[in-house]
Amino acid sequence: MSRVRIRQPDRAAQPMSLSRRRFLLASAGVASASTAGCLGGGDDADAPEPITVPEGATCEVCGMVIRQHPGPTTEIFYRDQQPSGHENPARFDSVWEAYQYEFEKDDAGWEDVAFYVTDYSSVDYETFEDGGDTLITRHYEASSFAPASEVTYVVNSEVKGTMGRDLLGFTERSDAEAFQSEWGGSLTTHDGVTPEIIAGLGT
């Protein structure tokens, strides 16, 4: 049974202007990187559990208040590092921004110990139309997250989040395939995400 329903847009859940998005992947070293073998993805037996995104929490990359906007959410816990002057985890209002951030921090020697993304197989999500775009709901509860290493992503589909086209994760591959069949895009996994893929998202 499909989890997707159409509803009227929530005026508080509008995506920001994409002219504000930032790409910081210009260096040759980062551009040739791959997540394979360097991103934890939540596989560590001692990894912290995901948390519910706090009220007022902002994205580490764009600074937007996460709970006020639609789309997938990401949390990354780092060993011996504190993102943006607050306790772990680093928090993001899109998945592509989280990978952009992770590529930069990996290059700087940061080590992630857990990488969680919204699992659209585990929530009763909705899609809705707003401003000519098809958007997908935000789920910020701890129970809505899954390790990035356990999801299949639908990449660059017609369905957008706060920061435009994104990676939408499903722990059930059949759910990802059904979503792709309806909304387009391509399929990949955590190890298949590259800076080149990330640089093509957000529009």
Side-chain angles (χ1 to χ4, degrees), residues 87-141:
E87 295 294 326
N88 274 296
R91 306 171 296 221
F92 307 89
D93 63 0
S94 70
V95 178
W96 73 260
E97 285 178 301
Y99 277 100
Q100 172 184 293
Y101 186 92
E102 172 68 348
F103 286 131
E104 295 165 4
K105 295 307 183 185
D106 182 64
D107 195 50
W110 287 33
E111 178 188 0
D112 72 81
V113 294
F115 192 124
Y116 296 108
V117 298
T118 302
D119 172 19
Y120 282 103
S121 287
S122 71
V123 297
D124 189 17
Y125 70 86
E126 299 174 348
T127 61
F128 59 97
E129 300 297 318
D130 191 18
D133 290 323
T134 302
L135 305 175
I136 193 166
T137 48
R138 168 89 61 206
H139 300 272
Y140 47 78
E141 303 83 4

Side-chain angles (χ1 to χ4, degrees), residues 4-184:
V4 182
R5 297 190 301 276
I6 305 298
R7 66 175 171 82
Q8 293 301 310
D10 178 351
R11 302 311 300 177
Q14 295 188 28
M16 72 171 289
S17 169
L18 296 177
S19 64
R20 286 183 53 198
R21 64 180 241 195
R22 297 183 296 155
F23 284 110
L24 303 174
L25 300 173
S27 72
V30 174
S32 62
S34 168
T35 61
C38 66
L39 302 186
D43 289 334
D44 190 332
D46 297 324
E49 294 294 318
I51 65 169
T52 296
V53 176
E55 288 269 6
T58 57
C59 176
E60 311 294 342
V61 175
C62 70
M64 295 183 68
V65 178
I66 295 169
R67 289 172 63 157
Q68 293 181 357
H69 303 279
T73 308
T74 311
E75 296 180 344
I76 308 176
F77 290 81
Y78 288 98
R79 191 185 309 279
D80 303 323
Q81 301 287 349
Q82 290 188 348
S84 301
H86 62 78
E87 295 294 326
N88 274 296
R91 306 171 296 221
F92 307 89
D93 63 0
S94 70
V95 178
W96 73 260
E97 285 178 301
Y99 277 100
Q100 172 184 293
Y101 186 92
E102 172 68 348
F103 286 131
E104 295 165 4
K105 295 307 183 185
D106 182 64
D107 195 50
W110 287 33
E111 178 188 0
D112 72 81
V113 294
F115 192 124
Y116 296 108
V117 298
T118 302
D119 172 19
Y120 282 103
S121 287
S122 71
V123 297
D124 189 17
Y125 70 86
E126 299 174 348
T127 61
F128 59 97
E129 300 297 318
D130 191 18
D133 290 323
T134 302
L135 305 175
I136 193 166
T137 48
R138 168 89 61 206
H139 300 272
Y140 47 78
E141 303 83 4
S143 61
S144 68
F145 290 103
S149 60
E150 296 180 6
V151 305
T152 298
Y153 288 121
V154 180
V155 184
N156 201 27
S157 74
E158 296 175 15
V159 177
K160 299 180 178 181
T162 299
M163 300 301 291
R165 293 181 185 262
D166 211 335
L167 303 97
L168 304 178
F170 299 84
T171 49
E172 296 294 330
R173 185 175 178 88
S174 59
D175 291 341
E177 291 170 343
F179 192 93
Q180 180 199 28
S181 178
E182 182 172 2
W183 298 107

